[in-house]
Amino acid sequence: MKRISRLLSDRLALLSLAVLAAIAAAGMLAPWLAPHPPDEVNMALRYGPWSLHYPLGNDQLGRCVLSRILYGIRPSVLLVLAAVLASVLIGAAVGMAAGYAGGRTDALLMRLCDVMLSFPGYVMTLAVIGVLGVGLQNILLAFILMKWAWFARIVRSSVRQIADADYVRFARTLGTGSLAILFRHILPVCVPELAVVASSSFGSTLLQVSGLSFLGLGIQAPQAEWGMMLSEARQSMFSRPELMLAPGLMIVLTVSAVNFLSDAMQQAVDPQAGSSKRHQPERAEAALIGREVA
Amino acid sequence: MKHSRNALSAIFILFLIFSSGCSDSGNEPAAEAAKQGQAREIIYASSKDINDMNPHLYSGSMPAQGMIYESLVEKTEDGIKPLLAESWDISEDGMSYTFHLRHGVTFHDGSPFNAEAVKVNIDAVQANAERHAWIKLSTKIKEVRATDEYTVQLLLDEPYYPTLLELSMTRPYVFLSPKDFINGQTKDGVAGYDGTGPYRLADQKPEQYAVFEANESYWGGAPQVKRITAKVLPSGETTLLALQKGEVNFIFTDDRGADGVDVEAMQSLVDSGRYQLLRSKPMNTKMIAANSSSTGPVHERAVRLALWHAVDRETIAGQILHGAESPADSLFSGNVEYADIPLAKRGYDLKHAAELLEDAGWKLENGGETRVKNGRQLALKLYYDAASSSQKTEAELIQSAAKTIGMKLELIGEQSSSVAARRASGDYDLLFNQTWGLAYDPQSTVSAFTAESSYAHTTGGIEGVEELYAKIGQVTGTRDEEKRKALYKEILTTVHDEAVFIPITHGSMAVLAPNDLEGVAFKQTQFELPFELMHFK
């Protein structure tokens, strides 16, 4: 709890958290917040300017840009979040199994992780799209397939550190079951580290999904997605550059918020690892030394 | 650290957005001035590499092949005219064509163009018959005889009236120097690309550029523009920037009917005063081909008719294409030979479309958005060319209209080659397509209705298809003009009634060229441009 209060005492973190919460809420409440249906075509309003009725103007088919941005939160942010959570869950399960069981199970699972991690992420994603066809769900599936191994390694290494801790041995001696030990005594120790890694991974995944949608490999029309909106605006990039602003800024805003939050979380979990200027210099030095030792 | 790199990329995107917003007026007079000093050349942007220039295969860029190779005859506005053949005689029974070849023509490698060269080229094409099945002439040629140095006799199995038309096409009946053949064949690759045309291929860097140099010994006189470069620029925005900077100075509608740069951007370049925009007469029809042989809902005529009524052609032509193309109500426009026939006009009428679906048993159930019949949803997949600047927008407009009548369209953007592969394999409900243009309409396009690699899946599921195919088989062998007209009328009426080709607009070819380039003209085909006629002021 000390960590959470430390996190919330960081103003930038608080702001990032507020921004992300607002975006997530807006995404969930899109049907009520959006002034118009996101796929309502009205050619009379093609490339309409900003107005009271259409606060962010209209796109090449006269659709309301604001509504599309709001609906776009769902695939761009919420689904990506779900995908990251799914890979964290799979990764945590595998990592805990490997770290706690040790021996052959550990070796087998870790070699499997090695295999998964040896593929470059984009190649794997493109391969999955090549086999299953274009579509957001396939991209997210590819991400889950790729990322779980990464999380598994992280969880496994922190489980290894505490699997032989005295309090775990004590619990074992008392006859507590393996599952109970894992969930009650080991998992809580791993969570902070996992949260940090997952949040930074969330930021990069968000950018990658937008990038793939920009290339036309992600979500298909008429659903709105920020990357795809950017791609559509690109068609008229020189005659109507303003169409790129809304989706572009939303991506920048969200990814920045995620990254600032992730940074702050890292400091909250381990104040010594801070590298930001906001911290006292001797701490940064200590962190440097600490890293070298590690 | 990983996330600080993410922050960096986020900032980079931000920078891109702002910089793109500010640079749209970036003229580059310096680059232009530098160009003035030297001899002017044409540098055109191409979204794809010119690829394999083997004229007897189909992967190469057609406008590029059109510069290098020539056919025996040429199609013009006034009918068939001589090209490599100076004159020809057709026998009474229509089964023997005798061509008298032009004297003194040489291939780019210096070897002479003569009757023997014609014979080995046509034989090489015939040796790969399966690949050329779409061009019906390939199934009719019995023998080619070189009767003397400059006389060639072409013998057919049966009379075939479009023989000269099909000999005039960009490929495959064009001529490559016999020295470039490998083992007397061309189907497994060739050793060089020496044609007889006004330009020869001087250099090719795959996926970057290709350089064509004037053929100084061209039989029609050396072309005045001495160098033409095809530069690969895959996306419309980079092409536009390159045009502004003068890195390229020429663009034209490519062989898949796509303008890389959108109409508004082309207009802004014209307004800058350095470019001229020329448009040909309507050359083809852009349409949606419906897979009538599929087992899905699109097999039903009512569904296809409803979709026909759901296409707002006026808006597509006027707003999305800025009036550059005109709305199309039938597969071929009236100025196409044999196509000036009365056909029912089916306009944009959503109410009627909904009635058609209702009558056919497609019902909206308890507040659903998509109609259902026998537990099956009225959901169709529409494929479009992801490189086209307008197809996606058109598709989304049609999709939103279709939604209001309870028809769900799923849009899938793919590369043009994979859309073509779908057309051949039948793995589609609907796809964007275009008729083959003036040189091929109607005879080749109609023949392609039966070809597996083209429209067999589109036409295969209509009622009385055997009768339709029989007529298509008959029409090209018919010597009597009136009978031919009647047959074409029946064929075109059938496909119109069955609504397997849903027309959208009549497309034309556009050329954006420097202001001081004169002699820019069009051929009677959308696949070539007469570069040899162009010259700078």
Side-chain angles (χ1 to χ4, degrees):
Chain A
M1 293 317 98
K2 212 169 79 192
R3 285 169 179 151
I4 291 183
S5 66
R6 198 153 57 197
L7 181 65
L8 294 184
S9 66
D10 185 336
R11 273 212 212 128
L12 192 61
L14 204 58
L15 181 70
S16 306
L17 203 60
V19 167
L20 287 176
I23 290 176
M28 279 185 271
L29 300 176
W32 293 277
L33 290 179
H36 305 272
D39 48 1
E40 186 184 74
V41 170
N42 186 346
M43 290 301 282
L45 294 169
R46 184 170 155 87
Y47 294 127
W50 299 5
S51 67
L52 212 57
H53 266 86
Y54 295 91
L56 291 178
N58 305 82
D59 68 2
Q60 76 282 1
L61 284 163
R63 296 175 296 201
C64 172
V65 173
L66 176 63
S67 307
R68 288 181 72 70
I69 290 282
L70 287 173
Y71 273 89
I73 294 172
R74 296 173 164 202
S76 306
V77 182
L78 299 182
L79 280 180
V80 172
L81 186 64
V84 171
L85 286 182
S87 47
V88 166
L89 284 182
I90 299 172
V94 173
M96 286 201 298
Y100 190 72
R104 280 191 175 189
T105 323
D106 183 28
L108 191 75
L109 288 173
M110 283 308 108
R111 291 305 79 73
L112 188 65
C113 285
D114 286 345
V115 170
M116 294 310 291
L117 289 172
S118 62
F119 292 110
Y122 274 106
V123 173
M124 190 67 169
T125 317
L126 292 176
V128 169
I129 292 171
V131 174
L132 298 178
V134 295
L136 187 66
Q137 66 275 34
N138 295 341
I139 291 184
L140 294 179
L141 188 71
F143 275 117
I144 295 172
L145 281 178
M146 288 306 300
K147 296 252 160 131
W148 70 266
W150 200 44
F151 292 119
R153 294 222 110 183
I154 289 157
V155 171
R156 181 231 176 220
S157 66
S158 44
V159 169
R160 293 290 299 170
Q161 281 172 17
I162 34 179
D164 287 327
D166 286 343
Y167 74 93
V168 176
R169 285 191 191 165
F170 184 64
R172 217 177 285 151
T173 323
L174 286 180
T176 319
S178 294
L179 275 181
I181 293 178
L182 274 175
F183 281 98
R184 210 172 300 153
H185 300 302
I186 295 184
L187 186 64
V189 187
C190 309
V191 163
E193 199 170 341
L194 202 55
V196 171
V197 181
S199 64
S200 86
S201 159
F202 176 47
S204 65
T205 311
L206 209 144
L207 271 183
Q208 285 173 29
V209 168
S210 289
L212 290 166
S213 286
F214 181 82
L215 296 175
L217 299 173
I219 203 163
Q220 295 295 314
Q223 262 81 36
E225 201 277 340
W226 296 345
M228 195 178 78
M229 289 175 75
L230 260 186
S231 168
E232 286 175 347
R234 188 192 60 144
Q235 306 260 341
S236 52
M237 183 165 147
F238 296 102
S239 39
R240 319 269 174 194
E242 66 275 9
L243 273 180
M244 302 189 89
L245 283 180
L249 286 176
M250 282 309 288
I251 295 175
V252 171
L253 185 68
T254 315
V255 175
S256 310
V258 169
N259 285 334
F260 284 130
L261 186 65
S262 156
D263 232 358
M265 264 160 78
Q266 194 166 26
Q267 279 152 17
V269 169
D270 177 11
Q272 299 224 308
S275 57
S276 170
K277 281 181 197 150
R278 281 174 283 127
H279 291 266
Q280 288 150 12
E282 60 263 34
R283 273 195 181 172
E285 252 170 52
L288 269 177
I289 293 164
R291 216 176 281 164
E292 262 165 27
V293 171
Chain B
M1 243 183 293
K2 197 164 176 78
H3 45 278
S4 61
R5 210 168 63 213
N6 291 342
L8 265 184
S9 17
I11 290 167
F12 180 65
I13 291 183
L14 192 69
F15 168 75
L16 269 184
I17 291 167
F18 284 119
S19 63
S20 73
C22 306
S23 68
D24 56 336
S25 60
N27 284 347
E28 290 285 329
E32 191 68 14
K35 285 247 148 58
Q36 297 286 347
Q38 48 194 282
R40 301 287 307 273
E41 53 184 273
I42 291 177
I43 308 170
Y44 75 79
S46 160
S47 68
K48 284 208 278 191
D49 188 49
I50 62 163
N51 222 312
D52 182 11
M53 281 289 102
N54 182 345
H56 298 161
L57 291 177
Y58 295 97
S59 60
S61 148
M62 293 177 81
Q65 286 177 333
M67 284 190 260
I68 302 178
Y69 304 106
E70 287 176 308
S71 43
L72 286 175
V73 293
E74 181 183 26
K75 189 184 180 201
T76 70
E77 248 175 309
D78 316 311
I80 301 287
K81 295 276 170 200
L83 202 65
L84 288 177
E86 276 182 318
S87 63
W88 54 90
D89 314 305
I90 307 173
S91 68
E92 268 305 302
D93 59 0
M95 284 165 56
S96 159
Y97 288 69
T98 309
F99 294 94
H100 306 285
L101 304 182
R102 196 175 289 280
H103 292 232
V105 176
T106 54
F107 287 102
H108 298 155
D109 63 357
S111 49
F113 171 77
N114 53 23
E116 193 50 37
V118 172
K119 180 179 161 53
V120 294
N121 268 279
I122 295 183
D123 284 347
V125 172
Q126 296 305 112
N128 194 13
E130 205 176 298
R131 191 66 196 80
H132 304 291
W134 68 272
I135 187 159
K136 282 287 166 306
L137 180 61
S138 67
T139 62
K140 317 274 180 191
I141 293 179
K142 190 164 75 181
E143 203 193 338
V144 187
R145 277 191 207 144
T147 45
D148 65 41
E149 177 79 16
Y150 291 109
T151 314
V152 180
Q153 208 181 8
L154 188 69
L155 300 175
L156 306 183
D157 287 325
E158 53 181 332
Y160 183 65
Y161 96 84
T163 298
L164 290 176
L165 275 172
E166 296 195 345
L167 285 176
S168 78
M169 287 169 185
T170 317
R171 58 197 184 194
Y173 293 109
V174 292
F175 303 96
L176 174 76
S177 169
K179 284 187 189 158
D180 294 332
F181 284 38
I182 296 178
N183 300 328
Q185 294 299 339
T186 54
K187 62 182 178 193
D188 304 316
V190 291
Y193 306 112
D194 298 294
T196 58
Y199 289 91
R200 58 180 187 83
L201 182 64
D203 187 15
Q204 181 182 5
K205 257 229 162 91
E207 302 302 333
Q208 292 186 37
Y209 62 83
V211 178
F212 305 90
E213 273 170 8
N215 174 8
E216 292 300 334
S217 51
Y218 183 53
W219 58 267
Q224 296 192 34
V225 176
K226 295 300 175 200
R227 230 169 114 93
I228 295 178
T229 307
K231 201 166 174 181
V232 180
L233 291 171
S235 90
E237 303 69 52
T238 38
T239 309
L240 183 63
L241 282 177
L243 279 163
Q244 282 176 346
K245 284 189 183 150
E247 273 173 43
V248 297
N249 59 11
F250 195 95
I251 55 170
F252 55 90
T253 312
D254 70 12
D255 40 11
R256 290 170 315 286
D259 288 314
V261 179
D262 76 332
V263 185
E264 244 184 349
M266 281 202 267
Q267 200 50 50
S268 75
L269 285 170
V270 174
D271 294 341
S272 76
R274 293 186 297 141
Y275 287 98
Q276 52 179 333
L277 176 63
L278 295 109
R279 265 187 196 286
S280 72
K281 290 183 192 158
M283 284 225 177
N284 60 20
T285 306
K286 310 246 171 94
M287 53 154 173
I288 293 175
N291 187 358
S292 69
S293 16
S294 101
T295 51
V298 74
H299 176 66
E300 270 183 57
R301 176 170 177 261
V303 171
R304 304 193 297 261
L305 278 179
L307 184 66
W308 189 310
H309 284 292
V311 178
D312 185 357
R313 298 170 180 79
E314 304 286 336
T315 303
I316 289 175
Q319 303 231 36
I320 296 177
L321 303 171
H322 297 267
E325 296 184 7
S326 58
D329 292 307
S330 55
L331 180 58
F332 299 113
S333 81
N335 65 337
V336 170
E337 235 181 330
Y338 305 114
D340 192 12
I341 50 174
L343 293 170
K345 185 181 164 178
R346 306 189 185 109
Y348 176 55
D349 187 349
L350 292 178
K351 207 168 138 244
H352 185 57
E355 282 166 14
L356 281 168
L357 291 174
E358 197 72 33
D359 292 346
W362 293 97
K363 307 279 183 204
L364 279 173
E365 276 170 7
N366 33 16
E369 282 196 338
T370 311
R371 286 176 191 271
V372 181
K373 179 175 171 180
N374 302 335
R376 219 154 153 198
Q377 286 218 318
L378 185 49
L380 306 172
K381 286 186 171 140
L382 170 58
Y383 295 89
Y384 62 90
D385 178 358
S388 157
S389 66
S390 58
Q391 275 183 14
K392 186 182 180 200
T393 313
E394 288 173 27
E396 282 187 89
L397 180 70
I398 297 168
Q399 180 186 46
S400 81
K403 194 179 164 195
T404 65
I405 58 168
M407 185 189 289
K408 186 174 160 193
L409 293 186
E410 199 182 320
L411 306 185
I412 300 139
E414 292 187 347
Q415 273 212 323
S416 57
S417 49
S418 61
V419 176
R422 282 184 187 281
R423 194 183 68 178
S425 66
D427 181 17
Y428 67 98
D429 293 322
L430 304 162
L431 50 81
F432 275 89
N433 223 262
Q434 57 176 344
T435 63
W436 298 357
L438 281 186
Y440 301 75
D441 292 344
Q443 76 288 339
S444 303
T445 310
V446 167
S447 292
F449 288 179
T450 66
E452 194 70 29
S453 60
S454 306
Y455 298 117
H457 293 285
T458 314
T459 55
I462 66 185
E463 233 172 283
V465 66
E466 292 83 12
E467 201 190 334
L468 176 75
Y469 284 5
K471 282 176 192 161
I472 292 173
Q474 256 173 41
V475 70
T476 48
T478 309
R479 298 265 286 152
D480 176 16
E481 181 74 16
E482 283 307 310
K483 222 173 139 200
R484 210 145 67 200
K485 261 187 192 158
L487 275 172
Y488 270 124
K489 187 175 172 184
E490 285 170 34
I491 294 166
L492 295 180
T493 308
T494 306
V495 295
H496 186 85
D497 286 347
E498 290 287 335
V500 286
F501 299 103
I502 299 163
I504 304 172
T505 53
H506 292 304
S508 55
M509 219 178 150
V511 167
L512 188 77
N515 246 339
D516 54 349
L517 187 68
E518 288 183 331
V520 182
F522 296 93
K523 290 194 171 184
Q524 288 293 296
T525 164
Q526 64 209 11
F527 302 115
E528 291 177 50
L529 278 176
F531 285 104
E532 67 276 13
L533 302 178
M534 301 177 193
H535 55 90
F536 285 98
K537 250 188 264 189

